[in-house]
mmCIF file of all heavy atoms in Angstrom:
data_model
loop_
_atom_site.group_PDB
_atom_site.id
_atom_site.type_symbol
_atom_site.label_atom_id
_atom_site.label_comp_id
_atom_site.label_asym_id
_atom_site.label_seq_id
_atom_site.Cartn_x
_atom_site.Cartn_y
_atom_site.Cartn_z
ATOM 1 N N ALA A 1 59.627 -18.588 12.595
ATOM 2 C CA ALA A 1 60.698 -18.163 11.645
ATOM 3 C C ALA A 1 60.036 -17.466 10.459
ATOM 4 O O ALA A 1 58.819 -17.514 10.247
ATOM 5 C CB ALA A 1 61.483 -19.360 11.192
ATOM 6 N N PRO A 2 60.816 -16.757 9.634
ATOM 7 C CA PRO A 2 60.251 -16.224 8.364
ATOM 8 C C PRO A 2 59.525 -17.322 7.590
ATOM 9 O O PRO A 2 59.958 -18.526 7.651
ATOM 10 C CB PRO A 2 61.527 -15.747 7.661
ATOM 11 C CG PRO A 2 62.448 -15.367 8.757
ATOM 12 C CD PRO A 2 62.235 -16.386 9.788
ATOM 13 N N PRO A 3 58.519 -17.000 6.845
ATOM 14 C CA PRO A 3 57.564 -17.953 6.329
ATOM 15 C C PRO A 3 58.042 -18.875 5.215
ATOM 16 O O PRO A 3 57.347 -19.805 4.856
ATOM 17 C CB PRO A 3 56.391 -17.119 5.895
ATOM 18 C CG PRO A 3 56.960 -15.778 5.607
ATOM 19 C CD PRO A 3 58.082 -15.604 6.556
ATOM 20 N N SER A 4 59.197 -18.614 4.624
ATOM 21 C CA SER A 4 59.601 -19.431 3.548
ATOM 22 C C SER A 4 61.173 -19.553 3.494
ATOM 23 O O SER A 4 61.865 -18.746 4.090
ATOM 24 C CB SER A 4 59.113 -18.874 2.158
ATOM 25 O OG SER A 4 59.646 -17.589 1.968
ATOM 26 N N GLY A 5 61.637 -20.526 2.744
ATOM 27 C CA GLY A 5 63.040 -20.708 2.509
ATOM 28 C C GLY A 5 63.611 -21.795 3.390
ATOM 29 O O GLY A 5 63.066 -22.188 4.445
ATOM 30 N N PRO A 6 64.781 -22.376 2.972
ATOM 31 C CA PRO A 6 65.484 -23.334 3.798
ATOM 32 C C PRO A 6 65.802 -22.758 5.174
ATOM 33 O O PRO A 6 66.134 -21.580 5.299
ATOM 34 C CB PRO A 6 66.762 -23.603 2.994
ATOM 35 C CG PRO A 6 66.442 -23.211 1.589
ATOM 36 C CD PRO A 6 65.455 -22.062 1.722
ATOM 37 N N LEU A 7 65.772 -23.630 6.182
ATOM 38 C CA LEU A 7 65.822 -23.116 7.549
ATOM 39 C C LEU A 7 66.567 -24.096 8.445
ATOM 40 O O LEU A 7 66.321 -25.320 8.439
ATOM 41 C CB LEU A 7 64.404 -22.972 8.123
ATOM 42 C CG LEU A 7 64.204 -22.558 9.541
ATOM 43 C CD1 LEU A 7 64.700 -21.106 9.745
ATOM 44 C CD2 LEU A 7 62.770 -22.651 9.997
ATOM 45 N N PHE A 8 67.484 -23.537 9.267
ATOM 46 C CA PHE A 8 68.107 -24.241 10.358
ATOM 47 C C PHE A 8 67.563 -23.761 11.723
ATOM 48 O O PHE A 8 67.470 -22.531 11.899
ATOM 49 C CB PHE A 8 69.642 -24.090 10.395
ATOM 50 C CG PHE A 8 70.387 -24.909 9.393
ATOM 51 C CD1 PHE A 8 71.180 -24.261 8.421
ATOM 52 C CD2 PHE A 8 70.289 -26.305 9.387
ATOM 53 C CE1 PHE A 8 71.860 -25.056 7.502
ATOM 54 C CE2 PHE A 8 70.991 -27.061 8.485
ATOM 55 C CZ PHE A 8 71.753 -26.385 7.531
ATOM 56 N N LEU A 9 67.128 -24.687 12.536
ATOM 57 C CA LEU A 9 66.545 -24.293 13.868
ATOM 58 C C LEU A 9 67.664 -24.155 14.903
ATOM 59 O O LEU A 9 68.613 -24.940 14.903
ATOM 60 C CB LEU A 9 65.606 -25.422 14.384
ATOM 61 C CG LEU A 9 64.318 -25.646 13.510
ATOM 62 C CD1 LEU A 9 63.517 -26.746 14.127
ATOM 63 C CD2 LEU A 9 63.479 -24.361 13.446
ATOM 64 N N PRO A 10 67.534 -23.168 15.810
ATOM 65 C CA PRO A 10 68.541 -23.032 16.826
ATOM 66 C C PRO A 10 68.463 -24.182 17.833
ATOM 67 O O PRO A 10 67.420 -24.630 18.225
ATOM 68 C CB PRO A 10 68.169 -21.688 17.518
ATOM 69 C CG PRO A 10 66.690 -21.582 17.294
ATOM 70 C CD PRO A 10 66.457 -22.189 15.943
ATOM 71 N N SER A 11 69.666 -24.656 18.229
ATOM 72 C CA SER A 11 69.732 -25.769 19.194
ATOM 73 C C SER A 11 69.441 -25.303 20.650
ATOM 74 O O SER A 11 68.918 -26.046 21.451
ATOM 75 C CB SER A 11 71.093 -26.438 19.095
ATOM 76 O OG SER A 11 71.262 -27.076 17.940
ATOM 77 N N TYR A 12 69.798 -24.061 20.931
ATOM 78 C CA TYR A 12 69.627 -23.438 22.258
ATOM 79 C C TYR A 12 68.943 -22.120 22.104
ATOM 80 O O TYR A 12 69.546 -21.086 22.155
ATOM 81 C CB TYR A 12 70.951 -23.303 22.958
ATOM 82 C CG TYR A 12 71.658 -24.630 23.162
ATOM 83 C CD1 TYR A 12 72.561 -25.142 22.206
ATOM 84 C CD2 TYR A 12 71.474 -25.380 24.353
ATOM 85 C CE1 TYR A 12 73.176 -26.337 22.376
ATOM 86 C CE2 TYR A 12 72.085 -26.569 24.507
ATOM 87 C CZ TYR A 12 72.958 -27.063 23.537
ATOM 88 O OH TYR A 12 73.614 -28.249 23.707
ATOM 89 N N PRO A 13 67.588 -22.097 21.929
ATOM 90 C CA PRO A 13 66.898 -20.849 21.507
ATOM 91 C C PRO A 13 66.989 -19.767 22.574
ATOM 92 O O PRO A 13 66.861 -18.586 22.224
ATOM 93 C CB PRO A 13 65.426 -21.299 21.334
ATOM 94 C CG PRO A 13 65.528 -22.774 21.047
ATOM 95 C CD PRO A 13 66.727 -23.268 21.813
ATOM 96 N N THR A 14 67.202 -20.127 23.830
ATOM 97 C CA THR A 14 67.204 -19.104 24.903
ATOM 98 C C THR A 14 68.558 -18.582 25.255
ATOM 99 O O THR A 14 68.667 -17.675 26.074
ATOM 100 C CB THR A 14 66.518 -19.686 26.182
ATOM 101 O OG1 THR A 14 67.295 -20.776 26.639
ATOM 102 C CG2 THR A 14 65.122 -20.143 25.877
ATOM 103 N N VAL A 15 69.622 -19.165 24.684
ATOM 104 C CA VAL A 15 71.009 -18.689 24.975
ATOM 105 C C VAL A 15 71.232 -17.350 24.221
ATOM 106 O O VAL A 15 70.983 -17.304 23.033
ATOM 107 C CB VAL A 15 72.056 -19.733 24.615
ATOM 108 C CG1 VAL A 15 73.452 -19.174 24.713
ATOM 109 C CG2 VAL A 15 71.894 -20.964 25.472
ATOM 110 N N GLU A 16 71.710 -16.384 24.918
ATOM 111 C CA GLU A 16 71.808 -15.010 24.362
ATOM 112 C C GLU A 16 73.234 -14.588 23.963
ATOM 113 O O GLU A 16 73.437 -13.519 23.352
ATOM 114 C CB GLU A 16 71.209 -14.038 25.329
ATOM 115 C CG GLU A 16 69.708 -14.262 25.612
ATOM 116 C CD GLU A 16 69.118 -13.267 26.527
ATOM 117 O OE1 GLU A 16 69.850 -12.392 27.061
ATOM 118 O OE2 GLU A 16 67.887 -13.268 26.675
ATOM 119 N N SER A 17 74.247 -15.370 24.345
ATOM 120 C CA SER A 17 75.615 -14.975 24.003
ATOM 121 C C SER A 17 76.529 -16.190 24.039
ATOM 122 O O SER A 17 76.177 -17.268 24.626
ATOM 123 C CB SER A 17 76.130 -13.911 25.008
ATOM 124 O OG SER A 17 76.183 -14.402 26.270
ATOM 125 N N GLY A 18 77.731 -16.034 23.505
ATOM 126 C CA GLY A 18 78.708 -17.115 23.585
ATOM 127 C C GLY A 18 78.594 -18.131 22.441
ATOM 128 O O GLY A 18 77.797 -17.981 21.460
ATOM 129 N N PRO A 19 79.312 -19.198 22.536
ATOM 130 C CA PRO A 19 79.420 -20.200 21.452
ATOM 131 C C PRO A 19 78.104 -20.871 21.076
ATOM 132 O O PRO A 19 77.943 -21.328 19.943
ATOM 133 C CB PRO A 19 80.386 -21.238 21.955
ATOM 134 C CG PRO A 19 81.198 -20.525 23.004
ATOM 135 C CD PRO A 19 80.239 -19.515 23.665
ATOM 136 N N LEU A 20 77.156 -20.960 22.020
ATOM 137 C CA LEU A 20 75.885 -21.637 21.725
ATOM 138 C C LEU A 20 74.790 -20.732 21.159
ATOM 139 O O LEU A 20 73.774 -21.192 20.658
ATOM 140 C CB LEU A 20 75.361 -22.407 22.950
ATOM 141 C CG LEU A 20 76.285 -23.471 23.536
ATOM 142 C CD1 LEU A 20 75.671 -24.090 24.750
ATOM 143 C CD2 LEU A 20 76.574 -24.508 22.456
ATOM 144 N N HIS A 21 75.083 -19.411 21.235
ATOM 145 C CA HIS A 21 74.041 -18.458 20.771
ATOM 146 C C HIS A 21 73.894 -18.619 19.243
ATOM 147 O O HIS A 21 74.885 -18.435 18.521
ATOM 148 C CB HIS A 21 74.439 -17.044 21.136
ATOM 149 C CG HIS A 21 73.561 -16.015 20.506
ATOM 150 N ND1 HIS A 21 72.197 -15.920 20.811
ATOM 151 C CD2 HIS A 21 73.821 -15.024 19.634
ATOM 152 C CE1 HIS A 21 71.651 -14.906 20.130
ATOM 153 N NE2 HIS A 21 72.650 -14.399 19.408
ATOM 154 N N GLY A 22 72.679 -18.862 18.779
ATOM 155 C CA GLY A 22 72.457 -18.917 17.358
ATOM 156 C C GLY A 22 73.068 -20.107 16.675
ATOM 157 O O GLY A 22 73.075 -20.141 15.453
ATOM 158 N N ALA A 23 73.508 -21.088 17.410
ATOM 159 C CA ALA A 23 74.130 -22.312 16.806
ATOM 160 C C ALA A 23 73.032 -23.300 16.467
ATOM 161 O O ALA A 23 72.196 -23.615 17.288
ATOM 162 C CB ALA A 23 75.154 -22.918 17.772
ATOM 163 N N ALA A 24 73.081 -23.842 15.272
ATOM 164 C CA ALA A 24 72.109 -24.830 14.839
ATOM 165 C C ALA A 24 72.923 -26.103 14.578
ATOM 166 O O ALA A 24 73.545 -26.241 13.519
ATOM 167 C CB ALA A 24 71.401 -24.387 13.587
ATOM 168 N N TYR A 25 72.965 -27.010 15.514
ATOM 169 C CA TYR A 25 73.744 -28.236 15.374
ATOM 170 C C TYR A 25 73.113 -29.134 14.351
ATOM 171 O O TYR A 25 71.883 -29.325 14.291
ATOM 172 C CB TYR A 25 73.911 -28.940 16.689
ATOM 173 C CG TYR A 25 74.974 -28.314 17.583
ATOM 174 C CD1 TYR A 25 74.663 -27.301 18.509
ATOM 175 C CD2 TYR A 25 76.317 -28.723 17.463
ATOM 176 C CE1 TYR A 25 75.645 -26.734 19.295
ATOM 177 C CE2 TYR A 25 77.269 -28.132 18.246
ATOM 178 C CZ TYR A 25 76.965 -27.161 19.169
ATOM 179 O OH TYR A 25 77.942 -26.531 19.918
ATOM 180 N N LEU A 26 73.953 -29.727 13.502
ATOM 181 C CA LEU A 26 73.478 -30.569 12.423
ATOM 182 C C LEU A 26 72.657 -31.768 12.959
ATOM 183 O O LEU A 26 71.616 -32.100 12.447
ATOM 184 C CB LEU A 26 74.700 -31.019 11.626
ATOM 185 C CG LEU A 26 74.349 -31.979 10.451
ATOM 186 C CD1 LEU A 26 73.464 -31.299 9.391
ATOM 187 C CD2 LEU A 26 75.635 -32.528 9.816
ATOM 188 N N TYR A 27 73.180 -32.366 14.013
ATOM 189 C CA TYR A 27 72.473 -33.504 14.651
ATOM 190 C C TYR A 27 71.100 -33.095 15.059
ATOM 191 O O TYR A 27 70.121 -33.815 14.804
ATOM 192 C CB TYR A 27 73.345 -34.071 15.781
ATOM 193 C CG TYR A 27 72.525 -35.044 16.632
ATOM 194 C CD1 TYR A 27 72.439 -36.398 16.281
ATOM 195 C CD2 TYR A 27 71.914 -34.638 17.785
ATOM 196 C CE1 TYR A 27 71.703 -37.306 17.031
ATOM 197 C CE2 TYR A 27 71.183 -35.560 18.563
ATOM 198 C CZ TYR A 27 71.073 -36.880 18.168
ATOM 199 O OH TYR A 27 70.373 -37.727 18.973
ATOM 200 N N ASP A 28 70.992 -31.973 15.794
ATOM 201 C CA ASP A 28 69.695 -31.554 16.332
ATOM 202 C C ASP A 28 68.695 -31.298 15.197
ATOM 203 O O ASP A 28 67.563 -31.695 15.304
ATOM 204 C CB ASP A 28 69.878 -30.287 17.125
ATOM 205 C CG ASP A 28 70.745 -30.468 18.393
ATOM 206 O OD1 ASP A 28 70.961 -31.680 18.774
ATOM 207 O OD2 ASP A 28 71.212 -29.514 18.956
ATOM 208 N N ASN A 29 69.162 -30.650 14.151
ATOM 209 C CA ASN A 29 68.277 -30.332 13.046
ATOM 210 C C ASN A 29 67.886 -31.629 12.301
ATOM 211 O O ASN A 29 66.695 -31.729 11.820
ATOM 212 C CB ASN A 29 68.898 -29.332 12.093
ATOM 213 C CG ASN A 29 68.703 -27.938 12.585
ATOM 214 O OD1 ASN A 29 67.732 -27.249 12.145
ATOM 215 N ND2 ASN A 29 69.526 -27.431 13.492
ATOM 216 N N ALA A 30 68.786 -32.578 12.188
ATOM 217 C CA ALA A 30 68.475 -33.828 11.503
ATOM 218 C C ALA A 30 67.347 -34.557 12.285
ATOM 219 O O ALA A 30 66.388 -35.048 11.709
ATOM 220 C CB ALA A 30 69.704 -34.710 11.388
ATOM 221 N N VAL A 31 67.523 -34.647 13.612
ATOM 222 C CA VAL A 31 66.521 -35.350 14.418
ATOM 223 C C VAL A 31 65.220 -34.577 14.389
ATOM 224 O O VAL A 31 64.132 -35.172 14.358
ATOM 225 C CB VAL A 31 67.069 -35.505 15.825
ATOM 226 C CG1 VAL A 31 65.943 -36.062 16.777
ATOM 227 C CG2 VAL A 31 68.264 -36.386 15.889
ATOM 228 N N ALA A 32 65.257 -33.258 14.415
ATOM 229 C CA ALA A 32 64.031 -32.435 14.318
ATOM 230 C C ALA A 32 63.327 -32.770 12.994
ATOM 231 O O ALA A 32 62.035 -32.880 12.960
ATOM 232 C CB ALA A 32 64.326 -31.006 14.425
ATOM 233 N N ALA A 33 64.026 -32.858 11.895
ATOM 234 C CA ALA A 33 63.428 -33.145 10.627
ATOM 235 C C ALA A 33 62.759 -34.484 10.612
ATOM 236 O O ALA A 33 61.597 -34.660 10.177
ATOM 237 C CB ALA A 33 64.459 -33.060 9.496
ATOM 238 N N ILE A 34 63.451 -35.482 11.141
ATOM 239 C CA ILE A 34 62.902 -36.816 11.213
ATOM 240 C C ILE A 34 61.601 -36.842 12.085
ATOM 241 O O ILE A 34 60.605 -37.441 11.773
ATOM 242 C CB ILE A 34 63.926 -37.818 11.798
ATOM 243 C CG1 ILE A 34 65.067 -37.955 10.776
ATOM 244 C CG2 ILE A 34 63.279 -39.211 12.046
ATOM 245 C CD1 ILE A 34 66.307 -38.697 11.347
ATOM 246 N N ALA A 35 61.661 -36.165 13.203
ATOM 247 C CA ALA A 35 60.517 -36.050 14.101
ATOM 248 C C ALA A 35 59.309 -35.363 13.418
ATOM 249 O O ALA A 35 58.187 -35.812 13.527
ATOM 250 C CB ALA A 35 60.875 -35.344 15.391
ATOM 251 N N LEU A 36 59.611 -34.320 12.673
ATOM 252 C CA LEU A 36 58.536 -33.594 11.977
ATOM 253 C C LEU A 36 57.866 -34.454 10.915
ATOM 254 O O LEU A 36 56.635 -34.397 10.746
ATOM 255 C CB LEU A 36 59.064 -32.319 11.346
ATOM 256 C CG LEU A 36 59.352 -31.176 12.397
ATOM 257 C CD1 LEU A 36 60.219 -30.132 11.781
ATOM 258 C CD2 LEU A 36 58.049 -30.572 12.890
ATOM 259 N N VAL A 37 58.644 -35.297 10.269
ATOM 260 C CA VAL A 37 58.068 -36.228 9.313
ATOM 261 C C VAL A 37 57.096 -37.168 10.048
ATOM 262 O O VAL A 37 56.013 -37.478 9.610
ATOM 263 C CB VAL A 37 59.141 -37.027 8.541
ATOM 264 C CG1 VAL A 37 58.534 -38.141 7.751
ATOM 265 C CG2 VAL A 37 59.926 -36.122 7.605
ATOM 266 N N GLY A 38 57.573 -37.665 11.190
ATOM 267 C CA GLY A 38 56.746 -38.578 11.993
ATOM 268 C C GLY A 38 55.515 -37.913 12.539
ATOM 269 O O GLY A 38 54.487 -38.560 12.818
ATOM 270 N N CYS A 39 55.544 -36.563 12.714
ATOM 271 C CA CYS A 39 54.387 -35.830 13.173
ATOM 272 C C CYS A 39 53.387 -35.456 12.042
ATOM 273 O O CYS A 39 52.413 -34.758 12.310
ATOM 274 C CB CYS A 39 54.865 -34.503 13.843
ATOM 275 S SG CYS A 39 55.847 -34.742 15.353
ATOM 276 N N GLY A 40 53.765 -35.769 10.841
ATOM 277 C CA GLY A 40 52.928 -35.392 9.711
ATOM 278 C C GLY A 40 53.144 -34.030 9.203
ATOM 279 O O GLY A 40 52.380 -33.473 8.451
ATOM 280 N N GLU A 41 54.308 -33.465 9.610
ATOM 281 C CA GLU A 41 54.619 -32.068 9.207
ATOM 282 C C GLU A 41 55.706 -32.091 8.158
ATOM 283 O O GLU A 41 56.767 -31.537 8.287
ATOM 284 C CB GLU A 41 55.107 -31.229 10.430
ATOM 285 C CG GLU A 41 54.027 -31.109 11.501
ATOM 286 C CD GLU A 41 53.092 -29.980 11.216
ATOM 287 O OE1 GLU A 41 53.146 -29.453 10.093
ATOM 288 O OE2 GLU A 41 52.282 -29.667 12.106
ATOM 289 N N GLN A 42 55.427 -32.754 7.066
ATOM 290 C CA GLN A 42 56.354 -32.950 5.955
ATOM 291 C C GLN A 42 56.927 -31.655 5.445
ATOM 292 O O GLN A 42 58.075 -31.517 5.156
ATOM 293 C CB GLN A 42 55.753 -33.800 4.864
ATOM 294 C CG GLN A 42 56.707 -34.219 3.731
ATOM 295 C CD GLN A 42 57.426 -35.484 4.070
ATOM 296 O OE1 GLN A 42 57.171 -36.112 5.082
ATOM 297 N NE2 GLN A 42 58.387 -35.861 3.182
ATOM 298 N N ASP A 43 56.007 -30.648 5.258
ATOM 299 C CA ASP A 43 56.421 -29.361 4.711
ATOM 300 C C ASP A 43 57.442 -28.664 5.601
ATOM 301 O O ASP A 43 58.354 -28.009 5.090
ATOM 302 C CB ASP A 43 55.202 -28.483 4.420
ATOM 303 C CG ASP A 43 54.333 -29.026 3.332
ATOM 304 O OD1 ASP A 43 54.774 -29.805 2.538
ATOM 305 O OD2 ASP A 43 53.165 -28.511 3.209
ATOM 306 N N LYS A 44 57.284 -28.833 6.894
ATOM 307 C CA LYS A 44 58.244 -28.174 7.818
ATOM 308 C C LYS A 44 59.545 -28.912 7.842
ATOM 309 O O LYS A 44 60.617 -28.284 7.888
ATOM 310 C CB LYS A 44 57.596 -28.048 9.213
ATOM 311 C CG LYS A 44 56.459 -27.101 9.347
ATOM 312 C CD LYS A 44 55.884 -27.031 10.736
ATOM 313 C CE LYS A 44 54.897 -25.873 10.949
ATOM 314 N NZ LYS A 44 53.773 -25.943 10.022
ATOM 315 N N ALA A 45 59.508 -30.200 7.791
ATOM 316 C CA ALA A 45 60.708 -31.016 7.694
ATOM 317 C C ALA A 45 61.451 -30.637 6.377
ATOM 318 O O ALA A 45 62.705 -30.636 6.330
ATOM 319 C CB ALA A 45 60.415 -32.498 7.729
#
């Protein structure tokens, strides 16, 4: 992603069209943030 700024991760990065394209589900991003903290990647979380 661009190197700075608040960021939501895509839930389905390979979907190219339709309702899931570019959608960043809150649950998915919350779990990703928790996981990144556990991985020692506090800055990314």
